[in-house]
Amino acid sequence: MSHDSSHEVAVLVDEGSNPFEMGVATELFGLRRPELDRPWYGFTLCAAEPSVRMHLGMFTLSGVAGLDAVEAADTVIVPNRPDPESPARDSVLRAIRAAAARGARLVSFCTGAFTLAQAGVLDGRRATTHWKWAGLFSELYPKVLLEPDVLFVDDGDVLTAAGSAAALDLGLHLINRDHGAEIANAVSRRLVFAGHRDGGQRQFVERPLPPVPDTSLAPVLEWARERLDRPLTVADLATRAAASQATLHRRFRAELGTTPLAWLTTERIALACRLIERGEQRLDLVARASGFGTAANLRAQLRRATGLTPTAYRARFSTAS
């Protein structure tokens, strides 16, 4: 349990929960980040009982907080359900409904979406869950607008991640929302984890072992990142990869779960955000450096990606301010 921030995170673990999702939440929100030189999250593990036996009896958590921790939380995370068909405890559902009623941010990892859905807080909302359980989820909760083939869904104050690895993606997305791209990048580097997988990417990505020599997209991606200020096209990437555009599209889908154009746009947005956060005031310079060309195009792209204008983004995340 840690409390040195005004934003409190409560992680609601249950009997049989997978330690990985709980570990993701602890790593991202519970560990101190003195290298960031800013207050981090307050963090509490809580459960309906003070002792919780984890998945397959690997270990037992003891001394965890009670459900009253949910009452004080700004963000409530439900890691996963060991058996999605088994109903959640009534006390857990009441705590989730109360948190939703007072405006807390609700987050689920993997099958934790079943708990949120059973509490009724996903009705009419966009959500996702692990692809293995998507059919059952739709059958049990037809009022939820399930998106079964994405990594995570951000529906404002309710966010859901597909599977275990996608919990990392969603967690970094939350840090990005709360603290900006520069801080999210710093945390992802600390984790040695790529911090730019967009929520709309596919859950299942084909990743065959590359032959020797390495024919992955990594050299092309690095080459493009060094040239984002230039008017790069998909044709340019294909030429660099010594492949046709159709082949390049297939490789991007197989390795990254996205398209070359969508990847380029995401990289440009990330670069623009970093420049704004570092205090660059001249939007025309940011637009040129990130490859968006004009300040008007930068405004449109940034609003589409973050929901904020450059001015609002700077006010919220600029380290200079």
Side-chain angles (χ1 to χ4, degrees):
M1 185 182 300
S2 58
H3 301 281
D4 58 359
S5 169
S6 60
H7 190 108
E8 294 291 330
V9 175
V11 179
L12 225 174
V13 293
D14 203 355
E15 194 79 11
S17 287
N18 190 332
F20 182 85
E21 283 87 348
M22 182 187 70
V24 166
T26 303
E27 174 74 31
L28 291 175
F29 305 108
L31 297 190
R32 302 303 88 212
R33 302 286 177 189
E35 71 277 10
L36 300 181
D37 191 28
R38 65 173 58 198
W40 205 233
Y41 300 89
F43 183 83
T44 305
L45 289 174
C46 62
E49 303 290 341
S51 180
V52 183
R53 187 171 180 266
M54 301 301 289
H55 183 62
L56 298 178
M58 295 177 182
F59 57 88
T60 298
L61 287 177
S62 59
V64 295
L67 295 179
D68 54 345
V70 176
E71 299 174 10
D74 302 288
T75 293
V76 179
I77 299 177
V78 183
N80 77 314
R81 285 267 290 278
D83 181 3
E85 296 187 82
S86 298
R89 301 168 187 257
D90 288 340
S91 57
V92 169
L93 298 177
R94 286 195 300 270
I96 291 172
R97 293 182 189 119
R102 62 179 173 78
R105 183 167 63 184
L106 303 179
V107 179
S108 71
F109 294 160
C110 195
T111 51
F114 281 78
T115 303
L116 296 185
Q118 189 182 346
V121 299
L122 293 184
D123 287 355
R125 307 288 297 260
R126 296 167 50 242
T128 192
T129 191
H130 194 287
W131 58 266
K132 179 180 178 181
W133 303 105
L136 175 64
F137 187 96
S138 294
E139 180 182 329
L140 293 176
Y141 306 109
K143 294 181 181 179
V144 180
L145 307 178
L146 185 69
E147 299 183 14
D149 195 34
V150 298
L151 290 177
F152 63 83
V153 170
D154 180 343
D155 199 43
D157 57 349
V158 177
L159 302 94
T160 50
S164 299
L168 271 170
D169 294 298
L170 178 53
L172 287 167
H173 173 75
L174 286 169
I175 293 172
N176 194 338
R177 268 183 45 170
D178 294 341
H179 295 282
E182 191 78 9
I183 296 299
N185 287 339
V187 174
S188 68
R189 286 195 300 270
R190 181 70 177 267
L191 297 174
V192 196
F193 183 77
H196 295 298
R197 291 208 303 176
D198 185 79
Q201 293 187 31
R202 293 185 303 155
Q203 288 188 32
F204 181 74
V205 179
E206 298 171 18
R207 296 185 186 274
L209 290 175
V212 178
D214 181 14
T215 60
S216 75
L217 288 170
V220 177
L221 303 184
E222 188 59 33
W223 176 85
R225 287 191 182 103
E226 295 173 355
R227 294 163 175 79
L228 292 175
D229 59 330
R230 305 178 191 181
L232 291 176
T233 65
V234 175
D236 294 328
L237 297 181
T239 300
R240 183 68 184 181
S244 68
Q245 292 188 46
T247 297
L248 187 71
H249 271 273
R250 287 195 295 272
R251 290 176 62 185
F252 262 79
R253 282 293 186 187
E255 290 190 37
L256 302 177
T258 188
T259 66
L261 184 58
W263 179 85
L264 266 176
T265 300
T266 299
E267 291 294 317
R268 294 189 194 283
I269 287 291
L271 175 57
C273 288
R274 291 197 297 271
L275 292 172
I276 293 172
E277 290 175 29
R278 291 169 185 171
E280 179 54 61
Q281 300 284 332
R282 297 162 293 178
L283 289 188
D284 56 339
L285 189 150
V286 174
R288 290 197 302 272
S290 58
F292 287 124
T294 67
N297 189 29
L298 171 63
R299 289 188 187 94
Q301 295 288 349
L302 191 66
R303 182 183 284 275
R304 184 177 298 116
T306 68
L308 299 172
T309 64
T311 300
Y313 190 91
R314 180 183 297 110
R316 182 171 178 182
F317 295 120
S318 175
T319 54
S321 61

